[in-house]
Amino acid sequence: MMAYSAMGYFLGIDGGGTHTTAWLADENLSVLARVQAGPSNPVKVGLASAQRELSRAYRNAIRQARVRPAKLDGVCAGLAGGDSAPVQRSMLRWMRKAIPARAHLMTTDAAVTLAAALGISQGIIVIAGTGSIAFGRDRRGGILRVGGWGSQFDDAGSGYDMGRKAIAAALRAHDGRGKTTSLTQALCRELHLGKITEAVPIQLTPQNIAALFSLVQQEAQAGDAMARRLCLEAADDLAELATTIITRLGWKRRVVSVVCSGGVFRSSDLIRRAFARRVHRYAPRARVSLLDREPVEGALLLARELLLPRGRKHPSS
């Protein structure tokens, strides 16, 4: 049986639609390097681009920690968009060749965030960043997913969703179909437009649209009714992810941890408070909290778990 003292180093990667974070740690999970790279969601940026950013993060972490690549024992990469089986298999094959280590795990960003938030305990994680998704884990370790089906069909309450709705609201106001909103002028300033209709032919990336969430939040704080409405709608949509899991796992009357993560929750007191109220109305004993650890810490935990005696092995490892 292998003990910690026989282990070398572990690399944890949290890859999203906006950026990639990688931490390299020793056998006690003392962090030796913290680096960032560009977006590595393979569904959004493509396999080649995602691989390039992961490789950059790996090389920079090795360089910063002054560790020989051959010393890596475990690597875990949790990627947004990494829940597609074909994508996961392809990325795992690439990672085994490009990032030498004794054991590899390719999983989702939600899975590493869940590990950071709850360890091996049961509970719920709701993530709202560029996209949105929720996971619940029961006492037997079973995982239930809700949402996160991509910006084209889902991701309700995400930064992308709010950015898209903000532009739509401004266009409706322009037509006279919607109420006047300060979002119109704010969006024109942010996107350097003469008028809001010029936003229609612009080729905005999902990241560009998601970045408009901060503008929605600012206008909501300044008192704009439409911006505030968009924030409250997002809170309801995100709460629905949590309450759906609570219903399906039969936790409505139980004490259950509901952990919030992602830029939307971190940036908006309004959304956090409204989210908590909605969840508590449905499940009064729920304990709602904001994730106080970095998601990449979960990736490190899972990377080390790959080599623990009697450790739980992930099906993609």
Side-chain angles (χ1 to χ4, degrees):
M1 290 295 183
M2 187 177 297
Y4 283 166
S5 59
M7 294 184 184
Y9 301 93
F10 299 90
L11 181 66
I13 301 173
D14 173 35
T18 304
H19 62 269
T20 299
T21 300
W23 287 7
L24 192 149
D26 63 17
E27 66 272 14
N28 298 313
L29 297 190
S30 297
V31 180
L32 307 176
R34 294 177 171 87
V35 301
Q36 284 202 339
S40 57
N41 179 333
V43 175
K44 297 288 178 63
V45 302
L47 290 174
S49 183
Q51 291 165 1
R52 183 173 61 251
E53 295 305 322
L54 293 175
S55 182
R56 184 155 70 97
Y58 158 67
R59 291 195 306 270
N60 289 344
I62 290 292
R63 187 179 303 116
Q64 187 181 118
R66 298 181 180 179
V67 169
R68 295 200 312 273
K71 286 288 187 179
L72 285 184
D73 270 346
V75 179
C76 171
L79 305 184
D83 54 344
S84 162
V87 168
Q88 198 171 93
R89 286 194 297 267
S90 178
M91 292 298 291
L92 182 59
R93 283 195 300 270
W94 170 84
M95 188 166 69
R96 284 172 171 158
K97 295 177 181 178
I99 304 179
R102 296 179 60 193
H104 298 78
L105 170 61
M106 176 63 64
T107 186
T108 67
D109 61 335
V112 300
T113 305
L114 184 68
L118 301 170
I120 60 172
S121 302
Q122 67 178 16
I124 297 169
I125 182 77
V126 180
I127 307 171
T130 301
S132 65
I133 195 170
F135 278 78
R137 182 167 58 211
D138 63 27
R139 63 182 180 179
R140 296 181 299 276
I143 302 295
L144 174 63
R145 167 191 171 159
V146 171
W149 302 115
S151 57
Q152 185 174 0
F153 302 112
D154 193 22
D155 286 352
S158 68
Y160 176 91
D161 189 42
M162 279 185 279
R164 183 190 64 79
K165 286 180 176 177
I167 295 175
L171 289 168
R172 290 177 67 87
H174 169 81
D175 288 346
R177 291 181 292 155
K179 294 181 179 180
T180 301
T181 170
S182 64
L183 287 170
T184 303
Q185 290 184 335
L187 286 165
C188 286
R189 287 194 302 270
E190 180 70 19
L191 299 175
H192 308 291
L193 308 175
K195 54 184 179 180
I196 192 61
T197 54
E198 295 173 8
V200 176
I202 296 177
Q203 297 298 312
L204 294 172
T205 67
Q207 292 75 30
N208 294 148
I209 295 173
L212 298 175
F213 156 67
S214 60
L215 185 150
V216 176
Q217 180 193 217
Q218 291 167 12
E219 296 307 308
Q221 290 175 333
D224 182 73
M226 177 53 69
R228 182 177 176 84
R229 174 181 165 185
L230 293 181
C231 288
L232 294 176
E233 286 179 356
D236 281 347
D237 287 335
L238 296 170
E240 185 179 46
L241 297 175
T243 57
T244 298
I245 290 176
I246 289 171
T247 299
R248 292 180 62 183
L249 294 180
W251 289 348
K252 187 173 181 179
R253 292 176 176 81
R254 293 188 184 182
V255 175
V256 56
S257 294
V258 179
V259 183
C260 309
S261 178
V264 169
F265 282 120
R266 285 196 303 270
S267 301
S268 176
D269 290 338
L270 174 61
I271 291 176
R272 283 200 310 273
R273 290 195 301 267
F275 172 88
R277 285 195 301 270
R278 167 77 185 276
V279 171
H280 284 142
R281 281 199 302 270
Y282 184 77
R285 302 183 71 191
R287 296 175 177 173
V288 180
S289 64
L290 184 65
L291 181 64
D292 59 1
R293 305 176 71 181
E294 293 291 332
V296 70
E297 294 182 60
L300 282 176
L301 288 170
L302 293 177
R304 189 175 70 172
E305 188 181 69
L306 292 171
L307 295 180
L308 289 179
R310 292 187 295 275
R312 292 176 295 109
K313 293 297 186 281
H314 192 284
S316 297
S317 61

